[in-house]
Amino acid sequence: MTDSPNSKNYGVPIYGAGWVPSNAVRSAVEPPPENDDGDKSSESAPESYVVLAGGGGEGNSGIRNALIVAKFYFDSNVLSDQPVARLGTGADLPYRMTVHPGGEGLICSLPKSCRWFEWDFQRAENHSLGLISSERVLEPLQDVGQQLALTFNHEGSLLAVGGEDGKLRVYKWPSMENILDQDNAHASVKDLDFSPDGKFLASAGSGPCRIWDVSKSKSVASLMKENDEIFGSCRFSPINDENQILYIITMRDQGGSISKWSTTTWKRIKSKRIVRDPICAFNVSPNGKLLAVGTIEGDVLIVSSNNFQVQNVVKKAHLGLVTTLKFSEDSRALLSASMDSRVRVTIIKDEEKKSGLSLWIVMLVLLIAIAVYYAASNGILPLELNSILK
């Protein structure tokens, strides 16, 4: 597969990916240029940044373990040909990653511990953003074994981590005060997500998906599988300012499905099969309108959360299984990555505008038809046309 403007190979298998928060980017670049009036322009930089984590592991594959920063230009739909920054992590593979929403930095899950990294603001001379390994040590997350899931809540005030050993931990950030410490939450914790209001935490692994009340530090619901289902990723999403929904990926022999759950009754609302292949990556857009799934065959699908209709399919977006999917802050683009070392950004087509335009056309045709019928009924049309209509 050859490179295209929005799809680049950065030379390492990618396991974690995310968008750098816009507030971190604004802090890193130089002040905006002055306009003709001598005033500083208030327009933001035309590029965004993505951060990637991956490598070849502890073996002698010759592929270095590293964190990579690349630029993405929304105006031209282009990823930078080369990373703008690369930070090696030695023999430790950065397997999972979560970016702090406040722009402070990111946490990587390494084979035995978790490490905190900060944005490097000293690279402004070449208008790029880098990373440095922080001097701060996350003491409670040292020598805890491989963590398979980690996430911040939307405010960045809580951090949840789930281990290969099935242990679930929740900490206040940045104090690292432990508020939930649960052994055997699952046989192995594979995914975690906070509700938009920060009240609940969903954890997925073997068995049911469990719901935790964060303030009470206890489990309040277990969402059960049907028949031969296997639960995968879980993601909360807002419907509006007051209501929330939970989506869970489910898999059967027939393929991968998305199930929708109420966050008041914790009952399943509906399920729909989306693709025949197993789903290995899942994400929900910040505005709650779109869902994205990635398959083991390398396909990426964008789905409407309203009716579960597939809006866009990128066949063979990657040569290998999709390891991670992340929507941009404004829900305009989808970042996908894979073990094939390829990173891709897919611009979201504005289906709402298309459907809105189609609706206006239908309404216009209907109004014209009504006007013609009224005119014909009252003898207003020319005799020739009137006789044809009659």
Side-chain angles (χ1 to χ4, degrees):
M1 181 185 292
T2 58
D3 283 355
S4 60
N6 66 329
S7 177
K8 297 295 165 70
N9 186 323
Y10 291 134
V12 299
I14 304 297
Y15 296 97
W19 294 85
V20 179
S22 55
N23 49 6
V25 176
R26 284 193 296 268
S27 299
V29 299
E30 292 179 339
E34 294 185 355
N35 58 28
D36 295 338
D37 298 326
D39 297 328
K40 291 182 178 181
S41 170
S42 60
E43 294 185 2
S44 59
E47 72 273 4
S48 297
Y49 289 84
V50 297
V51 59
L52 316 163
E58 297 183 35
N60 297 316
S61 64
I63 301 175
R64 294 182 59 193
N65 301 310
L67 294 174
I68 293 171
V69 181
K71 275 186 182 182
F72 178 70
Y73 301 85
F74 268 101
D75 292 346
S76 53
N77 189 22
V78 171
L79 270 167
S80 57
D81 289 332
Q82 298 295 328
V84 298
R86 186 188 296 261
L87 178 64
T89 57
D92 293 330
L93 172 67
Y95 184 61
R96 290 289 184 263
M97 179 186 73
T98 183
V99 178
H100 189 274
E104 298 176 16
L106 61 89
I107 295 177
C108 273
S109 165
L110 305 174
K112 297 180 181 179
S113 303
C114 293
R115 191 185 304 172
W116 174 245
F117 296 86
E118 298 173 352
W119 306 116
D120 182 4
F121 301 129
Q122 305 304 314
R123 300 174 60 89
E125 67 276 1
N126 59 2
H127 298 280
S128 62
L129 177 70
L131 277 169
I132 56 174
S133 182
S134 174
E135 295 180 358
R136 179 185 180 188
V137 177
L138 305 177
E139 293 290 351
L141 295 178
Q142 300 303 298
D143 299 317
V144 291
Q146 181 71 69
Q147 301 301 296
L148 300 181
L150 58 166
T151 186
F152 285 104
N153 66 350
H154 289 232
E155 294 180 350
S157 59
L158 295 173
L159 169 68
V161 297
E164 192 173 36
D165 59 0
K167 188 165 186 174
L168 171 64
R169 301 173 175 90
V170 178
Y171 301 94
K172 291 184 179 180
W173 183 266
S175 69
M176 293 301 290
E177 175 189 345
N178 182 252
I179 60 173
L180 177 61
D181 197 316
Q182 179 68 46
D183 290 325
N184 302 316
H186 301 273
S188 181
V189 181
K190 296 184 178 178
D191 200 18
L192 295 168
D193 196 46
F194 284 101
S195 60
D197 60 8
K199 183 177 180 180
F200 299 110
L201 174 71
S203 65
S206 55
C209 177
R210 300 185 69 179
I211 307 299
W212 308 82
D213 186 316
V214 177
S215 63
K216 297 178 181 178
S217 300
K218 67 176 185 178
S219 176
V220 293
S222 292
L223 312 187
M224 304 306 295
K225 301 180 293 182
E226 293 180 351
N227 300 323
D228 59 343
E229 282 183 332
I230 297 174
F231 281 170
S233 300
C234 54
R235 288 290 182 275
F236 284 98
S237 177
I239 299 177
N240 51 46
D241 291 339
E242 297 180 356
N243 297 318
Q244 302 170 126
I245 209 76
L246 176 66
Y247 298 99
I248 302 176
I249 293 298
T250 62
M251 279 161 291
R252 287 175 167 161
D253 291 340
Q254 302 95 322
S257 301
I258 301 175
S259 60
K260 185 176 183 179
W261 300 74
S262 166
T263 57
T264 53
T265 64
W266 300 114
K267 300 293 185 182
R268 188 187 304 236
I269 299 172
K270 71 173 182 177
S271 294
K272 182 178 180 181
R273 191 184 75 172
I274 302 298
V275 63
R276 292 182 179 180
D277 298 317
I279 295 172
C280 51
F282 179 59
N283 201 236
V284 178
S285 63
N287 62 15
K289 296 180 180 180
L290 298 172
L291 314 174
V293 299
T295 73
I296 63 170
E297 296 297 323
D299 299 337
V300 171
L301 296 85
I302 298 173
V303 181
S304 168
S305 64
N306 182 44
N307 53 19
F308 285 3
Q309 293 296 314
V310 177
Q311 292 187 181
N312 188 22
V313 180
V314 184
K315 296 291 290 183
K316 297 298 180 183
H318 300 276
L319 294 177
L321 64 87
V322 180
T323 51
T324 184
L325 295 167
K326 293 290 181 183
F327 281 98
S328 58
E329 290 176 311
D330 55 9
S331 304
R332 292 170 55 199
L334 177 69
L335 172 67
S336 61
S338 170
M339 290 181 65
D340 68 356
S341 305
R342 187 164 297 278
V343 179
R344 180 187 177 94
V345 176
T346 302
I347 296 294
I348 306 300
K349 298 176 182 179
D350 198 337
E351 296 293 331
E352 282 193 355
K353 287 185 178 180
K354 288 184 180 180
S355 61
L357 180 61
S358 301
L359 181 60
W360 277 110
I361 292 174
V362 171
M363 292 178 64
L364 180 61
V365 171
L366 183 60
L367 288 172
I368 292 173
I370 292 173
V372 170
Y373 176 79
Y374 177 81
S377 300
N378 290 275
I380 299 175
L381 295 176
L383 293 177
E384 295 83 354
L385 184 57
N386 204 11
S387 61
I388 292 175
L389 292 173
K390 290 182 178 180

